[in-house]
Amino acid sequence: MKNRHSGFLPAVSLLAVSFFLSDYALASQKDTSSEVPSGPAHLDVIDPAVSCDSLSSVDLSSVAGAMVHDLKTGLLDTPAGSFCKVTGQIAPAINFEVDLPVQHWTQRFLMGGCVGLCGMTRIGISNAGTCAPALNGEMVVASNDLGHASSTLNAQQADFGRVPQKRIDFAYRANHVTALTAKALVKAFYGHEARFSYFMGCSDGGREALAEAQRYPDDFDGISAGAPAGLFTVQNSFSSAWVIRTNQRADGTNILLKGRLPLLHSAVISHCDTFSGVKDGILEDPRMCHFDPTWVQCAPGQADTSSCLSDEETQAAVRLYNGPADKAGHAFTPGGLLPGSEQNWPLPDTALAKTADYGRVASVMSALLPAQAADQDMDLSKFQFDKASFEQMNQLAALYNAANTNLSAFQKRGGRLVLWHGLADQYISPLSTIAYYQGVQKQAGLEQTENFVRFYLLPGVAHCGGGGGFSQVDFLTPLMAWAETGVAPGALVAGHLQNTVSSAANDAQKISAPQKDGGDDKKHQVNPDDQPYALSDAKTSATRPLYPYPYIARYTGSGDPQDAQNYQPVMAPAILPVLFSDYSQSLIGPDNQSDYTVEKGALTLKK
């Protein structure tokens, strides 16, 4: 990959780099990309040993290490059978829900991550539309609100960051203690422990997934992390603020508007090789597309700009592609928005409008990221893209980030990790996940990494789904097969859906406060958007294989190009490993996380 900021390279050993490159060369000769997919193991059904209402009296406080109160139980009727729904709160304010199958539990437990800044307790299973145990409601499913409850109106505000303990709960504690609590409820209800435990999440849920593997390797046997916000402190400051600020004039008006993005996207698609062998408007490896302003820029003096972009608009696009940098051109992140993602860009509709992300970014940068929370949200127009601001925004990187490349404890206990990221992601650059994956490879060795991590890049797919690419993928089935039978995932089949939107963005719009309508023996009707089972995959117009990184799919030249079986794996054209030279690389490495506590009302490093 061409390095846009080659003038700012971190100090590294040339000998170490040469060995790393040699390892990559050897690993690339071993094609494991077309292994035969497998299914989960057959596990016996375990019936409940006690009644649902008896769970309201189970002592969970000793398990969670904190007071667990307000326990409520009730039967939840769903098309996949009945569940014992248990809700409660782990002190100080972690609201959780655990749904346990009454009829056909097959000894599995699944926990889902949140999106955005969370604030909701929402049960759901995504990316599992062909997974029989999930479709049939055979799994215990749990969720929590990461320690703070939000309404639809303020769900993306970070005011909870002004309470130190809520920062810790959001960062890592809430999921761990919820997992412990849920497992205790499983043992109490069935008289039997879960045989296998899984965690799935995307966006912040992807960060949460990685944090579990890094901090609590014994919690889950299999983890799926999609589009992870592993560099949370950078993503929610420099990356997000850059998209807003670099597209503004000095007077604060917006330059490049949403309605102009189709022009930009069409120009990129018409000039870039898809690398799939099919001209379908989807870039199989957008890293190899280097935007040239002449593709779309209007001629000097051209009055009609309906079919081209002005010089001002074009330069705004260039800055968005390049990503955040200081005045000298030193990059703060591995990269910006990738070519082919243009139609997903979160830009405003008018020159005076604020983007939907503005309030969230301003709130996070004032109330959550700094060591001491400010009283008011940040004025983004005054934010400086410089080293001092980078250090300020990353004071608590050891608390929030999930960029610890030392996964040895997770690997040793037999854990399996599936990483995935859409290449047309409009919020979190897939380059950051590539950088993290390479960090894991460097720490564990390429061959060892292959034994417990699989990484997939999804062409044309937006943030956590949607976009114009092949976004319908079942990641749970291969993850379960790997954890339960030892068969590692190879080629996966992805489906193309028409008129889809980013699922994480859609989820964020549906955030609601945790439900408090439980009660012993009370029956609940399931919400189709909030259910403890998976929904079947929708009908797709085309399929395409996904191969483990660094392989991509290329059409064989015969057969229907809309059918996945007519593709084969080829090495991605990018030179490996990709060499990044940005400030955030200092945040990716081994053993860079810390535990925190609250002393005298202040956030403090735990001794």
Side-chain angles (χ1 to χ4, degrees):
M1 178 180 174
K2 184 178 179 181
N3 195 305
R4 296 189 180 95
H5 305 285
S6 57
F8 182 67
L9 285 170
V12 295
S13 164
L14 293 178
L15 183 61
V17 170
S18 66
F19 278 128
F20 194 37
L21 287 167
S22 298
D23 286 345
Y24 248 105
L26 290 172
S28 68
Q29 298 172 16
K30 181 182 179 182
D31 182 357
T32 60
S33 60
S34 56
E35 296 164 352
V36 178
S38 179
H42 173 76
L43 301 179
D44 292 337
V45 172
I46 304 294
D47 294 324
V50 298
S51 65
C52 181
D53 61 357
S54 69
L55 296 184
S56 61
S57 60
V58 175
D59 180 12
L60 299 170
S61 298
S62 59
V63 174
M67 181 64 68
V68 179
H69 51 86
D70 199 26
L71 275 181
K72 294 182 174 63
T73 63
L75 290 177
L76 180 69
D77 292 327
T78 83
S82 297
F83 289 76
C84 175
K85 175 180 176 179
V86 182
T87 60
Q89 187 177 85
I90 304 169
I94 302 169
N95 294 290
F96 69 87
E97 178 179 337
V98 181
D99 292 351
L100 305 100
V102 174
Q103 288 93 1
H104 37 242
W105 180 57
T106 51
Q107 308 178 58
R108 298 178 177 98
F109 162 53
L110 173 67
M111 190 161 153
C114 280
V115 297
L117 298 179
C118 201
M120 76 283 194
T121 302
R122 183 181 171 208
I123 296 289
I125 305 178
S126 59
N127 297 108
T130 61
C131 180
L135 290 167
N136 297 335
E138 300 175 14
M139 309 178 76
V140 171
V141 184
S143 178
N144 71 82
D145 64 0
L146 293 191
H148 61 279
S150 301
S151 68
T152 303
L153 295 178
N154 66 6
Q156 297 305 303
Q157 295 300 304
D159 294 346
F160 67 90
R162 296 186 171 91
V163 181
Q165 183 59 50
K166 291 189 176 184
R167 293 189 181 207
I168 298 171
D169 293 346
F170 171 80
Y172 59 84
R173 176 176 172 263
N175 281 326
H176 175 57
V177 295
T178 298
L180 297 178
T181 301
K183 290 180 180 181
L185 286 168
V186 168
K187 182 68 179 295
F189 191 49
Y190 302 105
H192 194 289
E193 293 181 348
R195 180 88 175 272
F196 295 100
S197 298
Y198 300 97
F199 190 102
M200 298 187 74
C202 191
S203 192
D204 191 73
R207 175 191 69 87
E208 299 161 36
L210 289 181
E212 276 292 320
Q214 295 159 8
R215 290 179 178 271
Y216 304 106
D218 292 328
D219 279 358
F220 298 98
D221 302 288
I223 292 174
S224 170
L231 293 172
F232 180 87
T233 53
V234 179
Q235 173 60 38
N236 286 278
S237 59
F238 278 76
S239 294
S240 296
W242 181 261
V243 172
I244 297 170
R245 281 281 305 282
T246 200
N247 189 38
Q248 291 180 330
R249 303 179 181 90
D251 63 1
T253 56
N254 303 307
I255 301 170
L256 185 60
L257 305 180
K258 186 176 290 292
R260 304 284 280 166
L261 294 178
L263 288 174
L264 183 62
H265 181 71
S266 295
V268 167
I269 295 302
S270 64
H271 285 86
C272 290
D273 191 338
T274 64
F275 287 102
S276 65
V278 178
K279 289 288 185 181
D280 57 1
I282 299 172
L283 304 184
E284 193 75 16
D285 194 347
R287 297 174 299 167
M288 303 308 296
C289 174
H290 305 291
F291 177 69
D292 186 337
T294 61
W295 294 348
V296 71
Q297 193 168 314
C298 298
Q302 183 173 342
D304 183 6
T305 61
S306 60
S307 60
C308 57
L309 300 183
S310 68
D311 178 66
E312 185 184 38
E313 291 174 313
T314 305
Q315 290 308 309
V318 169
R319 293 190 294 271
L320 290 169
Y321 286 128
N322 287 344
D326 62 19
K327 293 179 180 178
H330 298 157
F332 289 105
T333 69
L337 301 171
L338 289 182
S341 67
E342 297 80 13
Q343 296 198 109
N344 306 320
W345 289 2
L347 300 188
D349 293 312
T350 67
L352 296 176
K354 286 186 177 180
T355 66
D357 295 324
Y358 189 99
R360 174 187 59 83
V361 175
S363 178
V364 169
M365 290 171 67
S366 60
L368 202 59
L369 296 186
Q372 298 296 324
D375 293 333
Q376 295 181 338
D377 286 353
M378 177 171 286
D379 182 351
L380 294 186
S381 67
K382 297 180 180 179
F383 181 71
Q384 298 298 311
F385 292 89
D386 55 25
K387 185 177 180 181
S389 296
F390 187 82
E391 292 174 350
Q392 180 189 19
M393 291 294 102
N394 287 286
Q395 290 173 327
L396 297 176
L399 170 68
Y400 296 117
N401 286 359
N404 179 1
T405 57
N406 183 3
L407 297 177
S408 58
F410 184 68
Q411 177 190 10
K412 186 177 180 179
R413 60 92 68 201
R416 310 299 189 193
L417 172 64
V418 172
L419 270 173
W420 62 275
H421 207 130
L423 283 168
D425 195 314
Q426 69 273 41
Y427 290 113
I428 302 175
S429 174
L431 297 176
S432 64
T433 305
I434 293 174
Y436 175 72
Y437 180 67
Q438 289 186 168
V440 174
Q441 290 179 314
K442 187 174 182 180
Q443 183 69 22
L446 272 68
E447 196 164 328
Q448 284 298 312
T449 300
E450 189 178 82
N451 290 334
F452 75 104
V453 184
R454 282 290 190 272
F455 178 29
Y456 296 88
L457 291 172
L458 282 59
V461 175
H463 187 57
C464 293
F470 294 79
S471 59
Q472 185 167 268
V473 190
D474 176 2
F475 287 110
L476 183 55
T477 295
L479 178 63
M480 291 171 62
W482 199 8
E484 298 173 12
T485 70
V487 178
L492 306 181
V493 176
H496 182 269
L497 299 171
Q498 298 290 343
N499 301 319
T500 55
V501 298
S502 169
S503 61
N506 191 46
D507 285 349
Q509 296 173 1
K510 297 178 180 179
I511 289 174
S512 60
Q515 297 299 310
K516 297 294 184 181
D517 60 350
D520 295 346
D521 298 323
K522 181 175 180 178
K523 286 198 172 186
H524 307 276
Q525 295 301 314
V526 68
N527 182 332
D529 292 323
D530 184 9
Q531 72 284 324
Y533 58 91
L535 298 178
S536 297
D537 276 351
K539 185 177 181 180
T540 58
S541 58
T543 57
R544 179 76 57 87
L546 296 175
Y547 298 110
Y549 183 85
Y551 292 91
I552 62 174
R554 186 167 183 84
Y555 180 51
T556 60
S558 62
D560 184 359
Q562 305 301 318
D563 191 332
Q565 68 178 350
N566 298 317
Y567 288 78
Q568 62 187 356
V570 298
M571 283 290 293
I575 297 175
L576 302 176
V578 182
L579 299 181
F580 298 104
S581 57
D582 60 273
Y583 282 99
S584 70
Q585 294 308 297
S586 64
L587 304 175
I588 301 175
D591 308 316
N592 55 11
Q593 293 165 316
S594 299
D595 291 337
Y596 284 76
T597 187
V598 178
E599 293 183 3
K600 298 180 180 180
L603 194 66
T604 308
L605 273 171
K606 184 177 289 187
K607 298 177 182 178

